[in-house]
Amino acid sequence: MRVGIVILPEHRWWAAEPLWRMAEEYGFAHAWTYDHIGWRPGLERPWFDAVTTLTAAATVTSTLRIGTFASSPDFRHPVHYARQLTALDDISDGRFTLGLAAGGVGFDAHVLGGSELPASARVDRFAEFVEVLDQVLVHDSTTYRGEYFTAVDARRAPGCVQPPRMPFAIAANGTRMMRLTARYGRGWIAAGGYTDDLNTWWRAVADLSMRFTDVVAEEGGDPARIDRYLSLDAAPVYSLSSVEYFREVVGRADELGFTDVISHWPRPEEPFAGKESTVEEIASEVLPEL
């Protein structure tokens, strides 16, 4: 079991840098940041770009894997984004994982003046987004014409440090998204839905895990080949509320076949309100056991 941590891009770098350094020093396997133009709640609060933040994080760490949690087509074109990702993979010396999601109907979807898409159209757009990203990152030249994206002789050079490209970890709850994960993903991100009842959430996670196994097999893939990330804080209880609770949820995730769990760095207020001392205790008492 590997443990990751999300550090929200809400701090000026003089305050954010120590958190990324500590994530590595504490022994977390990977650290992530949100990829949004703005994030509710708290649109009035400071918010920084994900790629720039991860680039800075790559320069102050040496072993920690870093990633987006998660990038979407809401405000990105895959051709230009492929250039940014190639640079980030290079600067991190191959420590970058691209977390991907279909996008939503909130601030990111309308801040640029576009119309919000229904769920089926968001999946259609995401399928094109991932296909173009994959082609541009893997092939020397890509020309593509779809309903949502176009590429004309887009170039790969110099290519990724991680051949043939950095791994994709795709957030998927529905069957279509799971099929895309089976085709393009090295990782699957599960959230389990949103409910106020903890037992209901765990039952949903168990059902998702079984369904994902079936979908990958139906697509002719090997379910064991794909890493499984569980977003612990999609549950109604904050994962870092105590050392004992964290140890319990890691064990339950392991029993359900997840290879990785992801928590959020504690904040002074909700969401993810907690104490940094709990992170330190988990680092000294739990992470060495995993």
Side-chain angles (χ1 to χ4, degrees):
M1 176 65 68
R2 295 175 295 259
V3 178
I5 193 88
V6 176
I7 300 171
L8 297 184
E10 59 182 340
H11 306 288
R12 292 196 179 276
W13 187 242
W14 63 264
E17 178 186 5
L19 303 184
W20 291 92
R21 290 184 184 273
M22 280 190 286
E24 180 169 89
E25 292 168 1
Y26 281 162
F28 287 99
H30 33 78
W32 312 73
T33 202
Y34 281 10
D35 189 12
H36 297 293
I37 294 178
W39 181 57
R40 296 184 186 275
L43 285 174
E44 73 286 352
R45 297 178 60 88
W47 195 259
F48 295 94
D49 176 70
V51 172
T52 310
T53 297
L54 290 173
T55 301
T59 65
V60 298
T61 57
S62 59
T63 60
L64 183 73
R65 288 202 67 85
I66 57 176
T68 53
F69 199 75
S71 297
S72 82
D74 279 339
F75 54 91
R76 296 194 181 280
H77 192 286
V79 171
H80 175 246
Y81 197 32
R83 298 269 56 80
Q84 294 179 296
L85 299 175
T86 301
L88 182 50
D89 189 55
D90 181 69
I91 293 168
S92 67
D93 195 24
R95 291 184 288 123
F96 174 62
T97 298
L98 176 61
L100 291 165
V105 294
F107 183 76
D108 286 350
H110 62 72
V111 66
L112 299 181
S115 58
E116 296 179 353
L117 297 175
S120 60
R122 291 200 303 274
V123 177
D124 292 339
R125 182 185 61 175
F126 181 75
E128 286 192 13
F129 184 73
V130 175
E131 184 178 1
V132 177
L133 267 179
D134 177 71
Q135 290 189 21
V136 174
L137 290 168
V138 171
H139 300 293
D140 290 336
S141 175
T142 297
T143 295
Y144 180 98
R145 288 180 174 85
E147 181 179 354
Y148 297 95
F149 300 106
T150 297
V152 180
D153 194 23
R155 301 305 179 98
R156 174 182 65 165
C160 295
V161 174
Q162 303 175 86
R165 57 161 168 77
M166 76 286 297
F168 292 177
I170 299 176
N173 281 345
T175 301
R176 289 182 63 197
M177 291 290 288
M178 288 181 178
R179 287 175 180 155
L180 287 169
T181 305
R183 180 176 180 183
Y184 294 103
R186 286 278 303 280
W188 168 54
I189 300 172
Y194 298 94
T195 174
D196 292 331
D197 183 75
L198 187 59
N199 290 327
T200 299
W201 185 80
W202 278 109
R203 286 194 296 270
V205 168
D207 290 343
L208 277 176
S209 183
M210 289 187 291
R211 183 149 55 92
F212 181 70
T213 297
D214 292 340
V215 169
V216 174
E218 290 168 3
E219 293 296 306
D222 178 6
R225 182 190 65 85
I226 300 176
D227 293 333
R228 301 186 182 210
Y229 299 84
L230 180 59
S231 179
L232 292 175
D233 295 324
V237 178
Y238 176 45
S239 61
L240 302 185
S241 56
S242 72
V243 175
E244 294 74 19
Y245 179 72
F246 181 76
R247 183 180 278 113
E248 175 189 343
V249 296
V250 169
R252 295 188 70 169
D254 184 42
E255 291 173 358
L256 293 177
F258 285 90
T259 60
D260 298 74
V261 293
I262 300 175
S263 299
H264 288 69
W265 198 277
R267 304 172 71 244
E269 59 193 27
E270 295 292 350
F272 320 127
K275 300 177 181 179
E276 289 194 9
S277 60
T278 304
V279 180
E280 185 175 357
E281 291 176 35
I282 288 170
S284 63
E285 298 177 22
V286 182
L287 296 188
E289 301 173 356
L290 302 177

